[in-house]
Structures are given as structure tokens and as C-alpha cells.
Amino acid sequence: MYRYDTLDREILADRSAEFRDQVRRRLAGEITEDQFKPLRLMNGLYLQLHAYMLRVAIPYGTLNSRQLRKLAEIGRTYDKGYGHFTTRTNLQFHWIKLEDTPDILDALATVDMHAIQTSGNCIRNVTADPYAGATADEIDDPRVWSEAIRQWSSLHPEFSFLPRKFKIAITAAPKDRTAARVHDIGLMARRGREGELGFEVIVGGGMGRTPIVGPTVQEFLPAHRLFSYLEAVLRVYNRHGRRDNIYKARIKILVQALGVDEFARQVDEEWASIGRDGDLPDAEIARIRAAFAPKTFETLPRESLGFNEAKAQDQAFARFVRNNLKPHKRQGYTIVDISLKGIGETPGDASSEQMEVVADLAERFGQDDIRVTHEQNLVLPHVRLDDAHEVFLGLAKVGLATPNINLVSDIIACPGLDYCALANARAIIVAQDIARRFENQDRAEDIGELKIKISGCINACGHHHVGHIGILGVDKKGEEFYQLTLGGSGAEDAAIGKILGPALPIDKVTDAIDRLVNVYLQERQVNERFLDTLRRTGDAPFKEAVYGDAH
Amino acid sequence: MAMLIKAEGGGFHAEMDDFQSVVDDQPIPDGKLILSLKRFETDGEVLLAQGRAVGVRIEPDEAVEDLTPFLPRLAVVALSLPKFRDGRAFSSAHILRTRLGYTGQVRAVGEVLREQAGMMARCGFDAFEPSDGSSPEAWAKVVNRHRHVYQSAADHHVPAFARRLGG
Amino acid sequence: MKALTANHLLDGRVVFWSQGQWVDRLADADLFDDSDPAGPEAEAEARAQTKLVVDAYLIDLIQAEEFWAPVSYRERIRALGPTNHLGHGKQADGGPSIAALQQAHGAARSSGRVNLIKRK
């Protein structure tokens, strides 16, 4: 993975010192809360319901074991011994003291980490394919471009006071694991006719109050022109995006208001003015690319006898293999998904002890490489099949071997009203209740891929719009109610879910999910996922199952 | 007259501003002037022909490109930040410096806070009407806090990628 | 009935107004009748304490057994802690006033305050 050089480290150190000074001035009363708030937000520090929350950036969701151990240590020293992985592949500490934050940032800097631009109206952490460098189906390593974007966007002098936040996703595989089409910019790597690298550029997707599957504004942008093009998009947005209404300030609203063609025309005009001055030199891309050079893989047989034997003898392992292991590009290796969705646990939470175990396993068996997914799970992308059983046993010891990746209990949930100052309703306990209902693993596997995503407010941090089943917490006359949406997808077949009917009270939600699942089980044809059946039948039978009693 | 922080020779100093900001329906006073774009469009040519020192104040929703034919004769372009988080002035400054080749004073007016000084300087601002009472020393401290930058901008900083290549 | 709450500047913890001081437990907070001018007066005083607390505001309460509970879920959760981690936050201390809050019924209006999400 990318290693910081002196320049990267000094940039971080200077930023950290700057924030320490800002905190000092706030505590000394030299600046007001109104003045301080945007400054702390630029460093990911929120004031939530019970305490400050610090959002630590995990650039493109990539960590090494040293970094994960440091997060564990910070969790133990400054929080309550845990952290919360988010749908932006970041890590949030929920019980932070303002006066500790400068020390925490210094601690993060010792492992080349920071909280820069994890909030504020700036370019946020880039989302990349968590299987980058491990999956056979990618045509390039998206981390190369993600790291270049990280640097380009960090402390950007012109684009740090945008109309609203700005999120970029990048994937280089046909299977989209980044939700690229619901980002402000989605970059999908493509090969041109001559084999040259480029990107399909999607601009103006998003969730929140106005969910939109983003349109393509460039079918093929040559890769070496990426940065001038990003500059053009950001400048058009910075100058013309709405600033009068925060709910209409994202770039998706500008793209819709202008129309895709006119927006693309304005960007092209700006792009022509910028010219090649806006591009990164090929040598810098090459330098970054070298940092992500393919790992040294052993030449291994396709089959691992030890692996096959363990699978035959250990049924729990066999189940784990079925659900949590994914094919690796090299034979004899596998990708191991680690679920942070233990039944009844808080989605995305990991204790300091769990983080340390994952760090140890990554170091011993996983080439020191750990990924965070936007579905709030972790990944060990390079594990030898020979070692998979030992990894499984290590994970199981600390409750991290839940075999439910992509299943009904692998639920995304935002922190919701249990923590968040913006939330209308709780999300976590809804997720916990559904997971308990579907605790039976045989049934869960029979149901197959089913993505449930829960947000505690319309800001949609829980990605409910793109859940196969989405659940949105709303406030109805003072009580927590939940609106169901069906048919969303954040994958390559991206779609925004449709509202099924009136919102349900909290104690009816899990029953409703159960009924939806039962309709699917009755209606499905061979090899159909929940989403496929729904798309074939339409939502009528599902609606009838949930609301039929009311007629 | 208000205090102005000016960048000069790598440092910052304060001076009393000798430009007057003219309200649209006010008669044109003597001395150096900063007009709104609208007022400039009616009275600018005449004043410039008289050899007066004239500046124009650009609001965030106005295009600096509209000033293109006049730029060589303008003493000041004042970019207005009605709220500090309105980042349009940053793009306007960048365009003035890098695309339109403007070499006169680019001034930040409105809610102008010390915390933004570094980014403003990078975008090409060289004069500031601080709304937070900051001293030139405080201004300089913020601008010079960061030893390195990642991007090319309108200033003299060599970005990290170029330094790595030995630039 | 109303109480006055804020978050402490240094550590962000939820605090309540009691006799000009900030205390941790809602059960120890001053109670103001809805029409009592002392409530808004205390709020104004608290809002001036910008080096001590952030964003002081009055919340609406309803009777919960022999205690008072916030009307809104949001404020109940602030007074208790997150409902997914019962060992975290004020609820960890337990006791009858916490139990009363946890079991409080009644129409919970969503917010005991206006401008819940302030944007400027």
C-alpha cells in the first residue's frame, strides 16, 4: 500500500498543529462556537447527542495492521474501547472529549492517519473497491487513482468551501462494490479500443432527500486527463451549485437543473480552458502505482488439502467459506470478508480487542492488508486457502466469524437517534431486531442475497435508498416510524427503491420484513435473488403482504 | 477608512485603506473608488478615462470574466464573501490570476476570516479586509503554517508531486 | 414542566441546569413551570456561558412515576445514553430515576425544542 513520504508526513503534522491551535483558541474563548464549529467539522469533529464524535479518515478503506492497532489503542485510551466503521469506510469514535482531540490527531499522525475532510463542504474520503488488488475482474488498481485523488483533494485551496459535501467513488471492476452511481462523482475504469485506460464518469448521483442514480457525462475520459476533468467539474459546481438551500446544494441538483447535456457542455468548456496544466504528471501516477505494486504471491496449487479437510470436518467453517470467502485472482488464495454484523450487535462496531485480532491476523496471514467496505464490514484481501481455517478460528474467538455476508442480517445501519444529532429515529435497534429474527443461518442462506439498509433520517447515511429493502426512520407525531422502500440497489444495477406504503411503527417493522421475505420465498424462480423476483413481479404482492390487513 | 492587510514581498502588513467603497445610489466621491459591477458598467468607462484609480466589487453570483476588457486598467478587484463559507470567490480569484492574467490587487471583502487566509492566498488574493480583527502577524502565521501543498494553484508554491520529481 | 440542558464544552457530555450550576443527572435538574419566566431567564444566562457549555436550551418534560421524563425520544436518549449500549452513558449508573426514564410512556413529541437542526 501507499507509504507516506516526508512531504505527506509534514503536511499532516502542520494540519495537526493548526487544529491544536484552533482548539486552544476555542477553549480560551478567543473564538466563538459559531466560528469554531466549521473548523472542527473540517477535522471530522462533531458534537453529537452524548459527546463529541471524531470521524477518522480511512482513505479508500485501506489499512495496515499498525494503523488498525493504533485505532484500537485510541478507542481504548480515549473512547469506551471500541470504534464504529461507517458507510463512508471511515471510523467514528463516539465518546470523545474536545480537549483530547489534538492528542488523538497526533497519535493518528504517528501511523500516517488523520481526520482531514471527514466533514465539511469539501471533497470527502474517496470510496474504492474493497477488493482492489485481489479480485480477478478489475482492469486496473483503483487505489492508485484513489491515492492521487486523496492528495489532490486534501486542503484544496479552491474547493474547500463548496456548496455542499462532495463524494467520489472509484471502481475498476464490472461488479460495483462502491455504489459509484450514487456518488457526486463515480469513476468506473474502462479500457479504450487500443487498450488505453480511461474512466466512465458519472456525475450527480446521490441519496439524501433527492435520490438520483447519476447520469454518465463522459463515456470515456482518458485516465491521464482525470485531474483536469475533476477540476472542471468541481469549478462548475463551486461557481454554479445552489447555496440558498442546503437540501438543493449537492451537485446532483445542478446537473438535473441544467440537464445532463448542458452540464456536460459547461464542464467541457471549463475543461478546455484548464487544459493539460490541470493534470498530474505521469511520473507521479507511476510513483503512486509503484506503491501498489502487486503483492508477492506464492505459486500455490488450486486446491488446498488442509482447507478442504477443514471444510469437511468443521461445518461452521464450511458455512463461513460459503458466505464470507470470495475468489482471489491468484489460485490458492482467497478474499476473506469479516462481518461486523454479529447477530444482535451494533452494525459496524468493533471493539479494540476485535481490531487487534484482525490486525494480528492480517499481519500473520493477510500480507498486512485490511480493507473497510461501505457495507460496514472488514476484508482481508489476500489470505492463502491453507491459512483460511486458522483465520476463521482466530476471528471466531472474538465473535467476528459471523457467516452472513450479503445475507439478510448483513444490515447497514447509521448510528441513528442513539447517537446522531440529526437523526429522527433509531436505526441500530431496528437492525438488531431484524438480525435476531433471521438468526437461523440455514434460513438466511436459503433466502440468499438480501441487502437491508437503514437510515435514521433523510440524509441517508444508512443508504436506505439503495437497499433491496430500505428502511427510513421518520418522526410521525413524536414517535419513531419507519418507511419501507423496495427495489433499490447500490451495485452495478443501481436503482433507487420505491416507497412501499405508509410508515410503520417500530414494533411492526421486523414482522413486515418477515412478510416481504416470505413473499419472495413463495414467488421466486430458480436462481432469483430477492431483488430479481421483486423486479419480475413488481411490488404488488409485497405490498399486499405488508398492508393487506389494513383493507 | 478600514484597515487592510496586504501581502507584499512574502510578508503581510496592515495599512489604512485609501479606497472608498461606493454605494450604488451615492454620488461619485473624490479619491480612489471601489464600485459594484452594476455601477461600474454605467460609470466605469468615464472614471477610467479620467485616470481615476478604480476597483470593482464582484458578488459571488457575478462572473469575473465580465471584467476581462477592463482588467489592465483596474487597480482592485474586490471579491465579496457575504458568508465565509461561500467559496465562489475562491474560484473567481483563481480565474482572475491564472486565466485572465490579472496582476492588480485581488481583495477579499465581507466575512473574511483568518482561518481561510492560507487558501485565499493560494487562490491569488493579496489583500484582505479581515472581519475578525486579525492582525497581519496572525494572518502571516496562518498563511505560512503549511510547509507543503498538494496542488498547483495561483501562488508560487511548488506542489508535492513536482517537488518529488525534483521540481 | 421544563428543564434546561446543554452539552459541556470540554467533553460534550449532556448536562442539566441546577441552581446556576451544571449537573449530570436530569433527576437533579431544576424544574420550571411552562409559564415560569425563570426558565427563559436561566436559558439566557446559560447561553452566555459560551466557554462552559454549547447550545443550551429548554426541554419539555412529562410526569414519569415520581420523576420527570423528557417528552421527546431524542431528549430521553440524551438523558440516558444510547439504547444499543446500555452500559454507556448516564444509564450505566442505574437507579430509580434512570429506570423511570427508561420506562416512561406517554406521547413523545419528536422534539422538545425548535430549530433542532440549525443551519446558517
Side-chain angles (χ1 to χ4, degrees):
Chain A
M1 67 190 277
Y2 182 77
R3 290 202 176 277
Y4 273 32
D5 65 6
T6 310
L7 292 175
D8 293 307
R9 294 217 168 91
E10 290 181 352
I11 287 169
L12 222 57
D14 292 346
R15 179 68 183 107
S16 199
E18 180 175 38
F19 189 66
R20 183 178 289 275
D21 187 46
Q22 290 167 347
V23 171
R24 181 195 61 73
R25 284 164 56 214
R26 173 67 182 103
L27 295 178
E30 291 172 25
I31 46 177
T32 66
E33 184 62 20
D34 279 352
Q35 291 168 333
F36 180 61
K37 188 174 171 185
L39 303 181
R40 64 168 158 78
L41 287 177
M42 292 291 276
N43 235 326
L45 187 66
Y46 290 71
L47 180 53
Q48 295 288 41
L49 295 187
H50 314 292
Y52 289 93
M53 175 194 96
L54 181 66
R55 184 180 292 152
V56 177
I58 301 176
Y60 39 97
T62 297
L63 288 166
N64 61 31
S65 57
R66 211 170 132 246
Q67 291 174 321
L68 187 55
R69 280 198 198 98
K70 183 60 75 177
L71 293 173
E73 180 193 320
I74 290 169
R76 202 173 271 129
T77 311
Y78 298 104
D79 200 294
K80 294 181 184 293
Y82 77 109
H84 175 77
F85 289 96
T86 75
T87 53
R88 299 289 315 149
T89 76
N90 291 319
L91 181 102
Q92 290 175 180
F93 292 115
H94 282 150
W95 297 90
I96 293 301
K97 297 177 179 172
L98 173 60
E99 49 188 340
D100 288 337
T101 50
D103 292 340
I104 297 173
L105 292 177
D106 284 349
L108 287 169
T110 64
V111 293
D112 303 337
M113 295 187 78
H114 59 79
I116 295 170
Q117 289 171 211
T118 53
S119 179
N121 293 335
C122 49
I123 303 166
R124 304 286 191 89
N125 187 18
V126 179
T127 306
D129 188 344
Y131 294 172
T135 182
D137 62 350
E138 70 186 6
I139 61 168
D140 191 33
D141 191 331
R143 293 172 301 171
V144 174
W145 303 98
S146 303
E147 172 58 26
I149 293 171
R150 181 194 72 78
Q151 297 191 23
W152 169 78
S153 63
S154 289
L155 308 177
H156 197 290
E158 188 182 343
F159 304 136
S160 289
F161 299 93
L162 297 167
R164 199 80 178 86
K165 56 190 167 183
F166 202 90
K167 300 172 179 177
I168 300 173
I170 176 160
T171 178
K175 186 150 181 60
D176 180 13
R177 288 170 283 258
T178 67
R181 289 194 178 273
V182 285
H183 277 72
D184 295 286
I185 292 181
L187 298 170
M188 294 179 152
R190 303 273 183 255
R191 287 280 173 198
R193 281 194 202 116
E194 314 289 320
E196 73 279 23
L197 186 68
F199 298 101
E200 179 182 344
V201 183
I202 296 141
V203 182
M207 292 185 267
R209 195 163 288 229
T210 315
I212 292 171
V213 173
T216 297
V217 298
Q218 269 274 357
E219 294 287 350
F220 187 83
L221 172 71
H224 65 280
R225 301 302 317 279
L226 175 63
F227 286 89
S228 54
Y229 196 79
L230 290 178
E231 181 178 335
V233 171
L234 267 296
R235 186 165 296 128
V236 167
Y237 172 53
N238 191 41
R239 298 186 82 187
H240 303 300
R242 282 181 66 173
R243 291 175 185 265
D244 59 330
N245 179 342
I246 66 157
Y247 296 114
K248 298 192 170 171
R250 295 290 285 269
I251 196 172
K252 61 192 172 187
I253 303 294
L254 178 66
V255 174
Q256 295 297 313
L258 292 176
V260 182
D261 292 343
E262 171 59 15
F263 175 79
R265 191 197 63 75
Q266 291 190 14
V267 170
D268 283 345
E269 191 176 293
E270 178 61 33
W271 191 33
S273 296
I274 295 167
R276 288 174 187 264
D277 286 352
D279 291 314
L280 271 185
D282 292 342
E284 174 67 358
I285 297 294
R287 183 188 75 91
I288 295 172
R289 186 176 291 284
F292 295 105
K295 306 268 181 180
T296 318
F297 293 110
E298 296 168 49
T299 304
L300 297 171
R302 184 170 301 278
E303 297 276 319
S304 156
L305 292 178
F307 175 80
N308 290 344
E309 205 170 297
K311 222 167 44 164
Q313 287 172 4
D314 181 346
Q315 286 199 10
F317 178 57
R319 194 187 289 279
F320 183 81
V321 169
R322 280 200 299 277
N323 294 298
N324 293 40
L325 265 49
K326 299 289 179 306
H328 195 279
K329 65 181 179 184
R330 287 293 298 243
Q331 72 176 34
Y333 284 85
T334 183
I335 299 170
V336 177
D337 281 330
I338 301 171
S339 169
L340 298 180
K341 316 292 175 58
I343 306 301
E345 301 292 332
T346 299
D349 272 14
S351 69
S352 292
E353 186 196 5
Q354 288 175 326
M355 289 187 231
E356 282 160 353
V357 166
V358 172
D360 289 346
L361 292 170
E363 200 168 43
R364 286 173 63 201
F365 304 114
Q367 303 216 18
D368 202 21
D369 198 342
I370 303 139
R371 309 290 171 78
V372 186
T373 76
H374 82 271
E375 294 182 318
Q376 299 179 284
N377 292 319
L378 301 178
V379 176
L380 298 178
H382 312 291
V383 175
R384 298 189 326 164
L385 282 175
D386 294 340
D387 298 328
H389 190 234
E390 199 160 346
V391 168
F392 165 75
L393 294 174
L395 291 170
K397 263 187 216 159
V398 288
L400 285 180
T402 312
N404 64 349
I405 297 297
N406 292 332
L407 300 183
V408 57
S409 56
D410 183 7
I411 301 170
I412 289 184
C414 71
L417 191 57
D418 281 307
Y419 299 90
C420 179
L422 301 176
N424 289 322
R426 285 171 291 172
I428 293 166
I429 61 156
V430 176
Q432 290 173 330
D433 200 50
I434 295 169
R436 284 196 198 96
R437 178 72 62 93
F438 292 94
E439 192 166 5
N440 182 315
Q441 290 290 346
D442 289 326
R443 182 169 180 230
E445 281 189 56
D446 178 37
I447 296 162
E449 182 185 303
L450 174 50
K451 298 193 181 238
I452 299 180
K453 303 180 196 255
I454 311 174
S455 304
C457 79
I458 193 64
N459 291 314
C461 296
H463 293 185
H464 66 278
H465 292 300
V466 294
H468 299 172
I469 299 175
I471 303 177
L472 167 65
V474 294
D475 157 26
K476 212 169 171 181
K477 291 181 188 158
E479 289 192 51
E480 295 168 303
F481 271 67
Y482 296 86
Q483 199 172 65
L484 304 184
T485 55
L486 285 194
S489 168
E492 59 283 357
D493 57 351
I496 303 298
K498 285 207 187 83
I499 295 173
L500 188 66
L504 304 168
I506 194 163
D507 56 344
K508 300 282 188 237
V509 174
T510 303
D511 285 340
I513 304 301
D514 218 346
R515 291 177 185 198
L516 293 173
V517 168
N518 284 333
V519 172
Y520 157 66
L521 292 174
Q522 284 158 21
E523 298 284 335
R524 73 173 165 190
Q525 295 174 357
V526 183
N527 289 334
E528 273 186 345
R529 301 170 301 162
F530 178 92
L531 189 59
D532 302 323
T533 301
L534 170 71
R535 283 175 174 169
R536 180 174 50 77
T537 65
D539 62 7
F542 294 91
K543 204 169 192 162
E544 176 63 25
V546 173
Y547 297 102
D549 300 351
H551 299 172
Chain B
M1 283 190 283
M3 192 195 70
L4 192 65
I5 292 180
K6 281 172 88 171
E8 226 166 73
F12 291 87
H13 68 271
E15 61 180 46
M16 294 314 282
D17 181 18
D18 53 0
F19 277 81
Q20 285 184 72
S21 195
V22 179
V23 178
D24 274 353
D25 50 8
Q26 177 192 347
I28 296 288
D30 293 336
K32 302 177 174 183
L33 308 170
I34 295 179
L35 309 175
S36 71
L37 180 60
K38 188 175 147 216
R39 187 72 181 267
F40 179 78
E41 279 164 354
T42 54
D43 297 346
E45 285 283 18
V46 174
L47 291 166
L48 287 172
Q50 293 167 0
R52 301 276 298 269
V54 177
V56 180
R57 187 176 61 253
I58 296 290
E59 297 301 326
D61 58 351
E62 294 169 344
V64 282
E65 288 91 335
D66 291 353
L67 292 177
T68 304
F70 307 102
L71 285 175
R73 292 183 287 160
L74 287 180
V76 174
V77 177
L79 299 175
S80 164
L81 290 97
K83 287 182 179 153
F84 79 90
R85 60 176 69 175
D86 188 332
R88 287 175 283 188
F90 293 76
S91 284
S92 298
H94 179 91
I95 290 166
L96 274 172
R97 294 297 194 206
T98 64
R99 189 165 304 161
L100 305 179
Y102 181 63
T103 55
Q105 184 188 94
V106 178
R107 177 187 295 200
V109 300
E111 192 176 7
V112 179
L113 304 179
R114 177 200 325 190
E115 305 303 337
Q116 297 177 308
M119 289 177 172
M120 286 186 169
R122 295 216 62 211
C123 288
F125 287 95
D126 58 357
F128 310 87
E129 293 181 13
S131 62
D132 58 0
S134 287
S135 65
E137 294 73 30
W139 214 261
K141 194 177 157 195
V142 173
V143 171
N144 297 320
R145 187 186 288 282
H146 294 275
R147 286 168 281 178
H148 317 291
V149 300
Y150 276 127
Q151 323 77 1
S152 312
D155 62 350
H156 62 276
H157 276 101
V158 179
F161 63 79
R163 295 185 60 163
R164 286 168 178 143
L165 298 173
Chain C
M1 205 61 87
K2 292 180 191 292
L4 179 58
T5 186
N7 287 79
H8 201 277
L9 173 65
L10 279 183
D11 55 13
R13 77 181 190 278
V14 175
V15 288
F16 300 96
W17 181 266
S18 171
Q19 306 288 308
Q21 304 287 315
W22 293 103
V23 297
D24 284 347
R25 290 176 0 134
L26 173 61
D28 299 330
D30 286 351
L31 300 176
F32 303 101
D33 271 325
D34 288 351
S35 56
D36 184 353
E41 281 165 25
E43 186 183 20
E45 192 182 338
R47 294 191 81 92
Q49 297 183 350
T50 54
K51 283 165 76 171
L52 199 58
V53 294
V54 177
D55 200 17
Y57 57 93
L58 290 163
I59 56 170
D60 290 320
L61 306 176
I62 54 168
Q63 191 92 43
E65 317 221 340
E66 69 269 39
F67 297 94
W68 291 88
V71 170
S72 78
Y73 283 153
R74 180 184 196 274
E75 292 304 329
R76 284 183 195 174
I77 289 170
R78 282 182 79 246
L80 285 168
T83 61
N84 61 315
H85 274 299
L86 297 179
H88 291 175
K90 299 173 188 302
Q91 61 199 346
D93 297 339
S97 65
I98 292 293
L101 263 183
Q102 287 171 328
Q103 284 146 30
H105 291 289
R109 206 154 41 72
S110 69
S111 122
R113 58 188 294 213
V114 288
N115 291 331
L116 191 63
I117 306 166
K118 278 190 301 185
R119 299 272 188 185
K120 283 183 191 156

